[in-house]
Amino acid sequence: MVEHAENFLALYAIDMDAALEIQSPESWDSFPLFQLLNDFLRTDYHLCNGKFHKHLQDLYAPLVVRYVDLMESSIAQSIHKGFERESWEPVKSLTSNLPNVNLPNVNLQIPKVPNLPVPVAGLSVNLPQMPSFSTPSWMAAIYDSDNGSGTSEDLFWKLDALQTFIRDLHWPEEEFAKHLESRIQLMSSNMIENCVKRTRMAFESKLTKSSKSTDFRISPSLCTMFNVMVDAKDQSAKLCAMEMGQEVKPASGTKQFHSQIDELIEESVKDMIQLLVAKFVAILEGVLAKISRYDEGTLFSSFLSFTVKAASKYVDVPKPGMDVADGYVTFVRHSQDMLRDKVNEEVYIERLFDQWYTATMNLLGTWLTERMDQQLHVYQLKILIRITKKKYRDFRLQGVLDSTLNSKMYETVRTRLTVEEASASVREGGMQGISMKDSDEEDEEDD
């Protein structure tokens, strides 16, 4: 029976080879045929790796290699072009604006073969019809939440589809199967690395061009870049990780792609957080620069005090400078709310808020230390009290730990402002309701 089956398949091979010879080199319509025949042959004890099965593998191995090569080139080009015109709008925002279109009926029995239209110079190629393939398990998240950008999601989708295609080939020859698996892992690693680096560069560029005043607002695009890192980390674990039992051979130069990408992502996220914290520090520096004009002994400070005292005899003088404090508080709260709402990784948010609070509190402490021998102007004191108290409360509400909130630098700042408040109350006759002490009235104002 085995000999009879091989003879029959040998006759079939003549027609099969003739049909494949007239196929366009850019057509992948024959892959379903390989899957059909290979799935039958590999499960048959007598025909598996027989004469026809070997012939089938020899015939399709170059096609598979060429397909992977072209897919790699196509994905690399799409990454390059995609990031050049990337808007960094969340995928949900983009898809929610698309019109509803009635999709045509698709034959779900067609095997999973991603289409790759590649033009050939000088030739008019009839591109094959786009076959269907199963949606990756993570695809639903693209439409259900604010995930990454259009380019990054398209990349992860293509890599997943290609890996699914290679896996579903069930290549019978072990060495070539391992080669394909390693090739796809290396490709995925390189592509994700490129995506992470381009995202990191775009993040820095966007921050550099943004405002350094309290008018700065965290845009959805900055949050999308954080989410690209979240998705890259998730997909690298799926696309680049080696399976259980797969050995690493240092002599062959094989590397654990997943661990390398994971390290790159962590370093990139660390840099992005540091860049954002530096932006927040620069904004607070701008606020402190404004109130530095009131430093004791300056001409502006003396002139302002004289003008306010003279005017207060005739009219109710509003609180000078409180708009500066209110503007900063509004900026902080808006940034916190946007990051909390749009970034999909709690660990990144916690790390960012911890560093943000610590860095800006250290800046306040340094600014006050530089004026240790000076008495704060009443307007400086009011602004600093408002900023410090609101900062402490807002970051506590965001979940920053007490060990971080009640740092030595915070205690130094609080003590200094409390002493200055007592002195100013005696000197000025009151602080117009602004105090470092907690009060129910101020809590009601916050609400």
PDB file of all heavy atoms in Angstrom, residues 3 22 48 68 91 116 140 143 153 161 170 273 284 287 329 346 358 409 415:
ATOM      1  N   GLU A   3       3.871   1.595  -1.275  1.00  0.00           N
ATOM      2  CA  GLU A   3       4.439   1.760  -2.609  1.00  0.00           C
ATOM      3  C   GLU A   3       3.395   2.269  -3.586  1.00  0.00           C
ATOM      4  O   GLU A   3       3.675   3.138  -4.435  1.00  0.00           O
ATOM      5  CB  GLU A   3       4.992   0.422  -3.085  1.00  0.00           C
ATOM      6  CG  GLU A   3       5.681   0.510  -4.448  1.00  0.00           C
ATOM      7  CD  GLU A   3       6.258  -0.834  -4.886  1.00  0.00           C
ATOM      8  OE1 GLU A   3       6.173  -1.798  -4.111  1.00  0.00           O
ATOM      9  OE2 GLU A   3       6.775  -0.885  -6.016  1.00  0.00           O
ATOM     10  N   ILE A  22       3.991  27.712 -13.541  1.00  0.00           N
ATOM     11  CA  ILE A  22       3.352  28.840 -14.229  1.00  0.00           C
ATOM     12  C   ILE A  22       2.799  29.870 -13.249  1.00  0.00           C
ATOM     13  O   ILE A  22       2.238  30.877 -13.665  1.00  0.00           O
ATOM     14  CB  ILE A  22       2.217  28.339 -15.148  1.00  0.00           C
ATOM     15  CG1 ILE A  22       1.108  27.676 -14.316  1.00  0.00           C
ATOM     16  CG2 ILE A  22       2.756  27.383 -16.217  1.00  0.00           C
ATOM     17  CD1 ILE A  22      -0.097  27.281 -15.160  1.00  0.00           C
ATOM     18  N   CYS A  48       5.087   9.880   5.980  1.00  0.00           N
ATOM     19  CA  CYS A  48       5.815  11.025   6.552  1.00  0.00           C
ATOM     20  C   CYS A  48       7.291  10.935   6.199  1.00  0.00           C
ATOM     21  O   CYS A  48       7.947   9.914   6.432  1.00  0.00           O
ATOM     22  CB  CYS A  48       5.628  11.044   8.065  1.00  0.00           C
ATOM     23  SG  CYS A  48       6.436  12.450   8.867  1.00  0.00           S
ATOM     24  N   VAL A  68       9.324  35.002   3.439  1.00  0.00           N
ATOM     25  CA  VAL A  68       9.771  35.629   4.684  1.00  0.00           C
ATOM     26  C   VAL A  68      10.667  36.831   4.381  1.00  0.00           C
ATOM     27  O   VAL A  68      10.559  37.882   5.029  1.00  0.00           O
ATOM     28  CB  VAL A  68      10.505  34.604   5.566  1.00  0.00           C
ATOM     29  CG1 VAL A  68      11.129  35.291   6.781  1.00  0.00           C
ATOM     30  CG2 VAL A  68       9.549  33.507   6.036  1.00  0.00           C
ATOM     31  N   VAL A  91      -5.158  54.582  18.605  1.00  0.00           N
ATOM     32  CA  VAL A  91      -5.865  53.822  17.583  1.00  0.00           C
ATOM     33  C   VAL A  91      -7.368  53.956  17.735  1.00  0.00           C
ATOM     34  O   VAL A  91      -8.104  54.070  16.762  1.00  0.00           O
ATOM     35  CB  VAL A  91      -5.456  52.329  17.645  1.00  0.00           C
ATOM     36  CG1 VAL A  91      -6.332  51.485  16.737  1.00  0.00           C
ATOM     37  CG2 VAL A  91      -4.002  52.185  17.254  1.00  0.00           C
ATOM     38  N   LEU A 116       1.080  39.792   0.551  1.00  0.00           N
ATOM     39  CA  LEU A 116       2.214  40.703   0.447  1.00  0.00           C
ATOM     40  C   LEU A 116       2.322  41.212  -0.977  1.00  0.00           C
ATOM     41  O   LEU A 116       2.939  40.564  -1.824  1.00  0.00           O
ATOM     42  CB  LEU A 116       3.510  39.993   0.835  1.00  0.00           C
ATOM     43  CG  LEU A 116       4.772  40.844   0.748  1.00  0.00           C
ATOM     44  CD1 LEU A 116       4.691  41.989   1.741  1.00  0.00           C
ATOM     45  CD2 LEU A 116       5.998  40.017   0.991  1.00  0.00           C
ATOM     46  N   ALA A 140      -8.463  42.523  19.677  1.00  0.00           N
ATOM     47  CA  ALA A 140      -9.657  43.176  20.230  1.00  0.00           C
ATOM     48  C   ALA A 140      -9.305  44.381  21.081  1.00  0.00           C
ATOM     49  O   ALA A 140     -10.025  45.356  21.135  1.00  0.00           O
ATOM     50  CB  ALA A 140     -10.461  42.179  21.053  1.00  0.00           C
ATOM     51  N   TYR A 143      -9.336  48.055  19.641  1.00  0.00           N
ATOM     52  CA  TYR A 143     -10.565  48.820  19.483  1.00  0.00           C
ATOM     53  C   TYR A 143     -11.281  49.056  20.798  1.00  0.00           C
ATOM     54  O   TYR A 143     -12.202  49.849  20.863  1.00  0.00           O
ATOM     55  CB  TYR A 143     -11.485  48.079  18.507  1.00  0.00           C
ATOM     56  CG  TYR A 143     -10.823  47.794  17.183  1.00  0.00           C
ATOM     57  CD1 TYR A 143     -10.320  46.524  16.922  1.00  0.00           C
ATOM     58  CD2 TYR A 143     -10.662  48.790  16.238  1.00  0.00           C
ATOM     59  CE1 TYR A 143      -9.696  46.258  15.709  1.00  0.00           C
ATOM     60  CE2 TYR A 143     -10.034  48.526  15.031  1.00  0.00           C
ATOM     61  CZ  TYR A 143      -9.551  47.258  14.780  1.00  0.00           C
ATOM     62  OH  TYR A 143      -8.920  47.004  13.603  1.00  0.00           O
ATOM     63  N   GLU A 153       0.636  49.352  16.057  1.00  0.00           N
ATOM     64  CA  GLU A 153      -0.351  48.283  16.045  1.00  0.00           C
ATOM     65  C   GLU A 153      -0.301  47.507  14.737  1.00  0.00           C
ATOM     66  O   GLU A 153      -0.468  46.279  14.718  1.00  0.00           O
ATOM     67  CB  GLU A 153      -1.757  48.854  16.265  1.00  0.00           C
ATOM     68  CG  GLU A 153      -1.964  49.483  17.633  1.00  0.00           C
ATOM     69  CD  GLU A 153      -1.884  48.482  18.766  1.00  0.00           C
ATOM     70  OE1 GLU A 153      -1.732  47.272  18.503  1.00  0.00           O
ATOM     71  OE2 GLU A 153      -1.960  48.900  19.927  1.00  0.00           O
ATOM     72  N   ALA A 161       0.813  37.817  12.515  1.00  0.00           N
ATOM     73  CA  ALA A 161       0.268  37.062  11.389  1.00  0.00           C
ATOM     74  C   ALA A 161       1.337  36.217  10.718  1.00  0.00           C
ATOM     75  O   ALA A 161       1.101  35.055  10.351  1.00  0.00           O
ATOM     76  CB  ALA A 161      -0.352  38.031  10.374  1.00  0.00           C
ATOM     77  N   HIS A 170       3.713  23.830   9.979  1.00  0.00           N
ATOM     78  CA  HIS A 170       4.095  22.550  10.601  1.00  0.00           C
ATOM     79  C   HIS A 170       5.203  21.874   9.784  1.00  0.00           C
ATOM     80  O   HIS A 170       5.086  20.720   9.381  1.00  0.00           O
ATOM     81  CB  HIS A 170       2.893  21.607  10.716  1.00  0.00           C
ATOM     82  CG  HIS A 170       1.752  22.166  11.507  1.00  0.00           C
ATOM     83  ND1 HIS A 170       1.851  22.449  12.847  1.00  0.00           N
ATOM     84  CD2 HIS A 170       0.485  22.505  11.135  1.00  0.00           C
ATOM     85  CE1 HIS A 170       0.689  22.937  13.279  1.00  0.00           C
ATOM     86  NE2 HIS A 170      -0.147  22.984  12.266  1.00  0.00           N
ATOM     87  N   ILE A 273      10.486  58.813  31.224  1.00  0.00           N
ATOM     88  CA  ILE A 273      10.047  59.343  32.519  1.00  0.00           C
ATOM     89  C   ILE A 273      10.977  60.470  32.972  1.00  0.00           C
ATOM     90  O   ILE A 273      10.521  61.514  33.455  1.00  0.00           O
ATOM     91  CB  ILE A 273       9.993  58.216  33.560  1.00  0.00           C
ATOM     92  CG1 ILE A 273       8.835  57.260  33.252  1.00  0.00           C
ATOM     93  CG2 ILE A 273       9.842  58.783  34.974  1.00  0.00           C
ATOM     94  CD1 ILE A 273       8.754  56.072  34.168  1.00  0.00           C
ATOM     95  N   LEU A 284       8.370  74.322  36.977  1.00  0.00           N
ATOM     96  CA  LEU A 284       8.419  74.862  38.337  1.00  0.00           C
ATOM     97  C   LEU A 284       9.547  75.885  38.473  1.00  0.00           C
ATOM     98  O   LEU A 284       9.388  76.889  39.200  1.00  0.00           O
ATOM     99  CB  LEU A 284       8.603  73.731  39.345  1.00  0.00           C
ATOM    100  CG  LEU A 284       8.643  74.142  40.819  1.00  0.00           C
ATOM    101  CD1 LEU A 284       7.396  74.925  41.208  1.00  0.00           C
ATOM    102  CD2 LEU A 284       8.828  72.928  41.728  1.00  0.00           C
ATOM    103  N   VAL A 287       8.218  79.144  37.441  1.00  0.00           N
ATOM    104  CA  VAL A 287       7.386  79.765  38.476  1.00  0.00           C
ATOM    105  C   VAL A 287       8.259  80.405  39.551  1.00  0.00           C
ATOM    106  O   VAL A 287       8.007  81.550  39.983  1.00  0.00           O
ATOM    107  CB  VAL A 287       6.446  78.707  39.103  1.00  0.00           C
ATOM    108  CG1 VAL A 287       5.710  79.290  40.304  1.00  0.00           C
ATOM    109  CG2 VAL A 287       5.451  78.197  38.068  1.00  0.00           C
ATOM    110  N   VAL A 329      -0.944  74.945  39.951  1.00  0.00           N
ATOM    111  CA  VAL A 329      -1.774  73.867  40.505  1.00  0.00           C
ATOM    112  C   VAL A 329      -2.657  73.257  39.418  1.00  0.00           C
ATOM    113  O   VAL A 329      -2.816  72.029  39.339  1.00  0.00           O
ATOM    114  CB  VAL A 329      -2.624  74.398  41.678  1.00  0.00           C
ATOM    115  CG1 VAL A 329      -3.642  73.346  42.117  1.00  0.00           C
ATOM    116  CG2 VAL A 329      -1.735  74.792  42.845  1.00  0.00           C
ATOM    117  N   GLU A 346       0.084  50.851  35.095  1.00  0.00           N
ATOM    118  CA  GLU A 346       0.081  51.466  36.423  1.00  0.00           C
ATOM    119  C   GLU A 346       1.485  51.622  36.974  1.00  0.00           C
ATOM    120  O   GLU A 346       1.795  52.606  37.658  1.00  0.00           O
ATOM    121  CB  GLU A 346      -0.773  50.614  37.371  1.00  0.00           C
ATOM    122  CG  GLU A 346      -0.884  51.167  38.776  1.00  0.00           C
ATOM    123  CD  GLU A 346      -1.697  52.440  38.861  1.00  0.00           C
ATOM    124  OE1 GLU A 346      -2.486  52.701  37.912  1.00  0.00           O
ATOM    125  OE2 GLU A 346      -1.554  53.183  39.843  1.00  0.00           O
ATOM    126  N   THR A 358       9.265  63.930  43.999  1.00  0.00           N
ATOM    127  CA  THR A 358      10.573  64.042  44.650  1.00  0.00           C
ATOM    128  C   THR A 358      11.418  65.138  44.019  1.00  0.00           C
ATOM    129  O   THR A 358      12.030  65.965  44.720  1.00  0.00           O
ATOM    130  CB  THR A 358      11.320  62.693  44.572  1.00  0.00           C
ATOM    131  OG1 THR A 358      10.540  61.681  45.226  1.00  0.00           O
ATOM    132  CG2 THR A 358      12.681  62.799  45.237  1.00  0.00           C
ATOM    133  N   MET A 409      13.210  66.255  52.674  1.00  0.00           N
ATOM    134  CA  MET A 409      13.133  67.547  51.980  1.00  0.00           C
ATOM    135  C   MET A 409      11.766  68.200  52.183  1.00  0.00           C
ATOM    136  O   MET A 409      11.675  69.425  52.364  1.00  0.00           O
ATOM    137  CB  MET A 409      13.406  67.362  50.487  1.00  0.00           C
ATOM    138  CG  MET A 409      13.494  68.662  49.709  1.00  0.00           C
ATOM    139  SD  MET A 409      14.796  69.769  50.350  1.00  0.00           S
ATOM    140  CE  MET A 409      16.255  68.955  49.667  1.00  0.00           C
ATOM    141  N   THR A 415       8.772  73.033  57.389  1.00  0.00           N
ATOM    142  CA  THR A 415       9.253  73.743  58.582  1.00  0.00           C
ATOM    143  C   THR A 415       9.609  75.184  58.248  1.00  0.00           C
ATOM    144  O   THR A 415       9.239  76.122  58.980  1.00  0.00           O
ATOM    145  CB  THR A 415      10.464  73.020  59.179  1.00  0.00           C
ATOM    146  OG1 THR A 415      10.091  71.678  59.527  1.00  0.00           O
ATOM    147  CG2 THR A 415      10.976  73.729  60.414  1.00  0.00           C
TER     148      THR A 415
END
